Amino acid sequence: MPTDHRERAFEDAIEYHLVNVAGYEQGDPGSFDPERAIDPAVFLAFVQDTQPATWEALENLHGP
């Protein structure tokens, strides 16, 4: 059986490894904000989980 050497097959292999082996979570392309180059929900959850004091200070300054 021939091996698929197309770019898409390579991308699929990388994605499979990152999600199923390396512990990454697959994002939702529809939530990605290309202007800011982030997924706002993922970013906010990350800041809230990893920097609670900073998040609290930001909420105190800007509101919830």
Side-chain angles (χ1 to χ4, degrees), residues 3-61:
T3 303
D4 187 354
H5 294 291
R6 292 175 297 159
E7 182 76 16
R8 183 69 197 154
F10 182 58
E11 292 172 5
D12 290 343
I14 292 171
E15 180 180 330
Y16 176 86
H17 182 81
L18 289 173
V19 172
N20 296 293
V21 178
Y24 283 75
E25 292 183 26
Q26 187 170 13
D28 175 15
S31 325
F32 187 75
D33 179 350
E35 185 175 322
R36 293 182 180 89
I38 61 169
D39 180 330
V42 172
F43 174 73
L44 292 175
F46 172 78
V47 173
Q48 291 167 341
D49 291 345
T50 62
Q51 303 168 60
T54 301
W55 183 255
E56 183 179 350
L58 287 169
E59 281 191 323
N60 290 336
L61 185 62

